[in-house]
Amino acid sequence: MNTTVNTPVITADDLLKNWQGHRGLSRRVLEAFPEKELFEFSIGGMRPYSQLAGEMLGLASAGVNGIVTGKWETRPEWNPFSETLAIKTKAEFLAAWDSVTEQIDELWPQIPAEHFNETVNAYGLYSNTVTNTIVYLLDNEVHHRGQGYVYLRALGIEPPAFWER
């Protein structure tokens, strides 16, 4: 029986397209929130969506920077490990989101092919391969975006179609 364990199933370009597709959808979820509810609304003890989106924003920025440079850091105002996110309006969030999207597009081509299988110490906390670190970033984003869908529905707002990436 042949095994596919070492058969590549996705290219780096396809992984980037997948991630950016998710980021585009997450941006539309962020955009759908009314200003006040973005920062104040929560259900069942979950954090407001501004905090969830702030985490996604900061992890993506610090993540791609760390993968490329070894420095797992981002702008101080986007620090996902900070207790207080410095972004205070939806417009600032959307601008920051777009900036991180450009950062990912700019840094991604600098990742050597062999680096995807190398182990890194992501954020100085998690030892994993680059590929699995990127998958974690995707998983984290999808998880928090799902919380955003619940919030939007609870607010009577139809969220963007999840399959339109």
Side-chain angles (χ1 to χ4, degrees), residues 73-91:
E73 56 193 32
T74 186
R75 293 177 167 181
E77 65 268 27
W78 301 346
N79 182 351
F81 301 108
S82 171
E83 291 295 317
T84 307
L85 187 67
I87 299 172
K88 301 296 182 201
T89 68
K90 184 165 86 169

Side-chain angles (χ1 to χ4, degrees), residues 78-109:
W78 301 346
N79 182 351
F81 301 108
S82 171
E83 291 295 317
T84 307
L85 187 67
I87 299 172
K88 301 296 182 201
T89 68
K90 184 165 86 169
E92 288 175 354
F93 253 115
L94 294 170
W97 197 272
D98 293 343
S99 182
V100 172
T101 297
E102 291 171 10
Q103 177 191 15
I104 294 167
D105 283 339
E106 179 183 311
L107 292 177
W108 190 270

Side-chain angles (χ1 to χ4, degrees), residues 27-125:
R27 187 190 192 286
R28 291 193 302 281
V29 169
L30 179 62
E31 204 169 24
F33 270 86
E35 185 88 22
K36 181 178 186 264
E37 285 77 4
L38 175 62
F39 293 92
E40 296 178 9
F41 187 78
S42 71
I43 297 174
M46 293 189 299
R47 296 175 284 167
Y49 198 68
S50 61
Q51 292 179 16
L52 303 176
E55 180 182 309
M56 292 186 279
L57 179 80
L59 286 177
S61 177
V64 73
N65 190 57
I67 289 166
V68 173
T69 70
K71 296 177 183 172
W72 298 85
E73 56 193 32
T74 186
R75 293 177 167 181
E77 65 268 27
W78 301 346
N79 182 351
F81 301 108
S82 171
E83 291 295 317
T84 307
L85 187 67
I87 299 172
K88 301 296 182 201
T89 68
K90 184 165 86 169
E92 288 175 354
F93 253 115
L94 294 170
W97 197 272
D98 293 343
S99 182
V100 172
T101 297
E102 291 171 10
Q103 177 191 15
I104 294 167
D105 283 339
E106 179 183 311
L107 292 177
W108 190 270
Q110 298 176 40
I111 306 172
E114 62 276 3
H115 190 48
F116 284 94
N117 294 316
E118 294 174 352
T119 300
V120 295
N121 191 23
Y123 311 99
L125 301 169

